[in-house]
Amino acid sequence: MGNIEQLYQDTILSHNRSPRNFRKLEQFSHTTIGRNPLCGDVYQLFARIEDEHITDIGFQGDGCAISKASSSIMSELVKGKTLTEAGKYKDDFLQLLLAAKEEQQESVLAKLPRKLQVFRGISEYPMRVKCATLIWRALEAILQGQGAEAETAVSTE
Amino acid sequence: MLNNEKISAKTTQQTVRQTIQWASEQRDQFPIFSRHPEWSYLDSAATAQKPRRVIDFLQEFWCERNAPLHRGVYRLSAQVTQDYEDVREKVARFIHAGCGNEIVFCRGTTDAINLVAHSFVAPRLKKGDNILISAMEHHANFLPWQQLCQKTGAELRIIPLRKGLVEGAFRQHLQVGLDLESAEALLDDRTQFMALNHVSNVLGVINPVTDLCQLAKTKNIPVLLDGAQAIVHGSVDVKALGCDFYVFSGHKLYGPDGVGVLYGRSELLETMPPYQTGGDMIEFVSTAETTFAPPPQRFEAGTMPVSAVIGLGVAIDYFQSLPEERLLRHENTLLQLATENLRSTKSLQKVQIIGDETDLTRKVGVLSFVIEGVHPHDIGSILDSANVAVRAGHHCAQPLMADLKLTATARASFAVYNNERDVQQFCEGIEKVITMMI
Ligand SMILES: Cc1ncc(COP(=O)(O)O)c(C=O)c1O
């Protein structure tokens, strides 16, 4: 068991206190909703996708420090990136949290930006992994082309 | 009766000392605490730990007495059948039912409520009718009614909450009860059923169910009481409560999981068709037709959780061996200590109690709270790191959460084995949460 301070690192606490891109976009092309049925947390993700690029991104909702920081950091990272680049972050991040073996985690860790590396300790708290992946699942849905017209809800269960 | 009138509202030094001694003896009965002395287990409202008696019994049962129910002509089977039926009688005495035939064994509270929804209410419910529940139901006593109403075009009516404030040293805490006046107005001659929680799993408040049952009776409306939380906090008398159905689960009553109880008045059970069909619930089956067994067997299709039922009997014996007044005083003392700490400790001033009461004898040992600026899930994880087990989330009561404009709360609950040290560890844990997160 890692200690709790490793889970609640400064980066996470600071993004929790002042989340970036924490707003509804005035103009968006895609929106999806991420729900964690375990705790009732709900986030709505908005993205403006133009010419294969995420030109703007924002999110709204209420959830724990882990899910809010994860959303905030995700939004910072993918803003301005191509869909392929965003997809790569998403795949690597999910592998970091969900890989069955420690080697698989280690192999992906170095590829991730520091801001995402801080979530590494969460895999030791299985009940909290879903908090960290929630917004990424909502992003995944958008990258798959969902949420272009009607709102699409994804769930971490 | 479950009204905590038996205990005085004020905690004196002497009562604290007495309960400490008594509690340490009780705690010794629960092997999990000798394996994990570091834990403050404050999640008994979700599931209670098991006393040695129940654990030993189950092991002994499988070593010594396991056999199929009802089916064997040999002695081992006859004995198990006898033991199983004895528990039925025991449960009937425990909740003051008329006789064992009014007791149906189920998988748990959820299963029992679904049984009543399917076999009693569904056949009676028509478009334009209504069912009355409250705004503080567990999903187990909400979804079966919501779904049934949606299917039939009936209306689901909800007794609203009445909210108030309780003064603390630094802030006001939220008091939440049922708005009884509205309840009366919501009942009419199309009301087919009323289903209410006896004690709220989120707030811990003891609802005035006797009054509500009486009110329903004046209009001939059958009532189900969800006793999942109430059953473990004092004696329950279904006749005095005046309900038609009463349901609870074994696992919250220091007993095994996988078993629950449905009490139903005989006249009503007799009118009800089976919930599930299959083995063990028939009188006679042919390819042309089947006649079903009378209640309660009619509702016990398939192989029942025999060890859990008989284990529940042992848990009831354990529970009844606890002097009621002392048990209630003990749990209430812990509730008061924790509540007082949250209300008046300076370092805890960001804590708000949800479901506070000026007179704490009006609730059981369940304490929900939120901390300004900290999500309950984070509270739960940090308390976990301080070896304090609490529940964090919506507690399967999302309609209540929405009404209170919350997504979640953290909840500590107290049982016979908890002690003053648990409360202290809990309060220190909350200080840690506040220091880390704010
Ligand atoms: C008030 C209430 N009703 C119903 C239930 C459901 O009980 P079970 O899960 O044992 O069926 C619970 C348990 O969480 C409860 O607290």
Side-chain angles (χ1 to χ4, degrees):
Chain A
M1 229 348 160
N3 66 34
I4 195 77
E5 284 78 11
Q6 248 178 338
L7 183 64
Y8 291 100
Q9 297 193 21
D10 288 344
T11 315
I12 290 181
L13 294 179
S14 119
H15 278 269
N16 177 47
R17 286 194 198 104
S18 41
R20 326 294 193 260
N21 302 305
F22 191 56
R23 65 200 157 90
K24 180 177 175 168
L25 297 188
E26 298 271 324
Q27 290 178 318
F28 57 89
S29 59
H30 293 71
T31 180
T32 49
I33 291 174
R35 281 182 215 282
N36 184 345
L38 197 69
C39 55
D41 289 352
V42 182
Y43 286 103
Q44 184 164 12
L45 181 64
F46 305 92
R48 189 159 76 238
I49 299 178
E50 293 165 315
D51 194 20
E52 293 289 300
H53 280 71
I54 300 175
T55 51
D56 203 0
I57 190 157
F59 72 101
Q60 278 199 315
D62 186 28
C64 64
I66 306 296
S67 61
K68 192 169 274 175
S70 179
S71 306
S72 170
I73 292 171
M74 181 280 280
S75 72
E76 270 192 333
L77 280 173
V78 306
K79 196 162 161 175
K81 297 288 189 309
T82 66
L83 298 182
T84 317
E85 286 165 331
K88 189 82 186 75
Y89 281 135
K90 186 251 321 165
D91 290 340
D92 290 347
F93 186 68
L94 292 181
Q95 185 179 337
L96 177 73
L97 296 193
L98 303 173
K101 297 207 183 73
E102 208 165 314
E103 302 94 83
Q104 292 168 312
Q105 284 185 334
E106 290 302 325
S107 72
V108 80
L109 189 64
K111 289 194 260 172
L112 285 169
R114 280 189 75 84
K115 281 186 211 164
L116 289 181
Q117 292 182 4
V118 299
F119 288 94
R120 169 192 196 183
I122 290 182
S123 54
E124 290 188 39
Y125 298 86
M127 305 296 278
R128 304 305 301 277
V129 168
K130 286 174 182 147
C131 307
T133 57
L134 184 57
I135 202 75
W136 292 88
R137 293 295 185 195
L139 175 70
E140 183 173 55
I142 287 181
L143 295 175
Q144 288 165 354
Q146 296 175 39
E149 278 143 30
E151 284 178 0
T152 305
V154 298
S155 135
T156 52
E157 283 296 277
Chain B
M1 284 313 292
L2 190 74
N3 58 11
N4 278 358
E5 266 165 21
K6 290 170 184 144
I7 51 180
S8 75
K10 262 208 107 39
T11 309
T12 64
Q13 282 302 317
Q14 198 195 355
T15 56
V16 172
R17 265 197 309 276
Q18 281 171 350
T19 52
I20 291 169
Q21 173 60 27
W22 184 76
S24 75
E25 287 160 23
Q26 297 314 313
R27 195 178 179 94
D28 291 343
Q29 305 291 316
F30 290 79
I32 199 162
F33 297 114
S34 51
R35 303 273 181 103
H36 299 285
E38 72 284 10
W39 269 103
S40 286
Y41 184 77
L42 301 179
D43 200 15
S44 303
T47 201
Q49 298 299 345
K50 317 304 173 200
R52 183 171 287 111
R53 259 163 102 149
V54 170
I55 298 169
D56 289 351
F57 167 80
L58 287 172
Q59 169 157 356
E60 187 62 16
F61 176 83
W62 286 309
C63 294
E64 183 71 31
R65 296 155 70 182
N66 183 45
L69 197 64
H70 298 313
R71 292 180 196 156
V73 293
Y74 48 93
R75 281 161 294 162
L76 214 49
S77 174
Q79 185 59 49
V80 122
T81 305
Q82 182 65 48
D83 293 346
Y84 181 92
E85 293 303 326
D86 285 350
V87 177
R88 203 189 294 284
E89 296 300 326
K90 180 174 293 188
V91 172
R93 288 191 300 275
F94 178 52
I95 59 172
H96 301 87
C99 62
N101 288 340
E102 297 191 312
I103 302 300
V104 179
F105 291 118
C106 311
R107 209 158 56 77
T109 303
T110 307
D111 192 35
I113 296 173
N114 277 280
L115 192 166
V116 175
H118 175 277
S119 295
F120 183 78
V121 184
R124 287 167 171 75
L125 197 69
K126 289 189 279 299
K127 193 169 160 59
D129 288 343
N130 64 75
I131 294 174
L132 186 63
I133 62 169
S134 87
M136 56 167 88
E137 300 307 327
H138 187 283
H139 291 169
N141 198 30
F142 181 87
L143 291 173
W145 312 120
Q146 182 198 48
Q147 298 299 306
L148 194 55
C149 285
Q150 285 177 0
K151 221 183 295 176
T152 49
E155 182 192 350
L156 187 64
R157 294 188 177 174
I158 298 179
I159 303 174
L161 303 175
R162 173 179 286 160
K163 295 165 205 156
L165 294 167
V166 178
E167 291 298 330
F170 304 99
R171 65 169 59 231
Q172 294 174 318
H173 301 278
L174 194 60
Q175 182 175 12
V176 187
L178 292 182
D179 180 353
L180 290 186
E181 274 128 60
S182 307
E184 181 151 17
L186 287 168
L187 289 177
D188 61 24
D189 50 13
R190 299 297 301 268
T191 309
Q192 293 293 348
F193 201 68
M194 184 156 105
L196 296 171
N197 66 97
H198 189 174
V199 167
S200 158
N201 66 313
V202 179
L203 309 162
V205 296
I206 304 167
N207 285 315
V209 288
T210 315
D211 295 345
L212 287 162
C213 285
Q214 221 157 36
L215 181 66
K217 197 163 275 171
T218 61
K219 300 183 194 266
N220 269 324
I221 298 163
V223 182
L224 174 143
L225 294 181
D226 170 358
Q229 293 297 330
I231 196 73
V232 67
H233 297 292
S235 52
V236 163
D237 181 334
V238 291
K239 289 277 165 8
L241 288 167
C243 60
D244 300 278
F245 299 98
Y246 196 92
V247 298
F248 65 90
S249 302
H251 69 100
K252 296 185 203 263
L253 184 60
Y254 308 112
D257 44 22
V259 62
V261 168
L262 163 66
Y263 155 80
R265 283 202 300 117
S266 281
E267 304 91 278
L268 304 185
L269 289 181
E270 271 154 26
T271 65
M272 291 160 56
Y275 175 39
Q276 295 178 328
T277 51
D280 269 346
M281 47 75 72
I282 48 91
E283 254 167 19
F284 185 77
V285 178
S286 75
T287 46
E289 63 176 347
T290 294
T291 47
F292 297 115
Q297 279 75 26
R298 186 187 300 163
F299 305 106
E300 295 180 1
T303 300
M304 294 298 288
V306 182
S307 57
V309 167
I310 307 180
L312 173 62
V314 179
I316 291 175
D317 286 342
Y318 167 74
F319 184 68
Q320 290 195 302
S321 76
L322 305 169
E324 187 178 355
E325 194 208 330
R326 177 145 275 182
L327 171 70
L328 297 185
R329 174 172 302 143
H330 166 65
E331 291 178 349
N332 208 256
T333 302
L334 298 177
L335 175 70
Q336 288 189 38
L337 279 178
T339 303
E340 267 316 309
N341 267 305
L342 298 191
R343 278 183 192 157
S344 47
T345 310
K346 185 138 201 309
S347 55
L348 303 180
Q349 59 179 296
K350 291 210 180 282
V351 177
Q352 185 185 35
I353 298 171
I354 306 297
D356 205 359
E357 286 286 336
T358 42
D359 174 2
L360 286 174
T361 62
R362 275 189 257 154
K363 61 186 272 195
V364 304
V366 169
L367 178 56
S368 260
F369 62 97
V370 293
I371 302 177
E372 201 184 305
V374 188
H375 191 279
H377 249 187
D378 299 316
I379 301 176
S381 283
I382 298 168
L383 286 180
D384 170 49
S385 75
N387 296 321
V388 178
V390 298
R391 185 61 164 256
H394 53 62
H395 314 287
C396 300
Q398 280 185 316
L400 171 63
M401 292 292 135
D403 197 315
L404 299 176
K405 302 199 169 44
L406 297 168
T407 43
T409 73
R411 178 190 72 187
S413 48
F414 304 104
V416 61
Y417 37 69
N418 291 118
N419 58 26
E420 212 188 15
R421 197 212 60 174
D422 292 332
V423 175
Q424 195 186 341
Q425 201 168 328
F426 166 67
C427 293
E428 286 166 6
I430 295 180
E431 272 179 23
K432 183 176 175 187
V433 173
I434 292 172
T435 324
M436 269 184 74
M437 300 298 294
I438 300 179

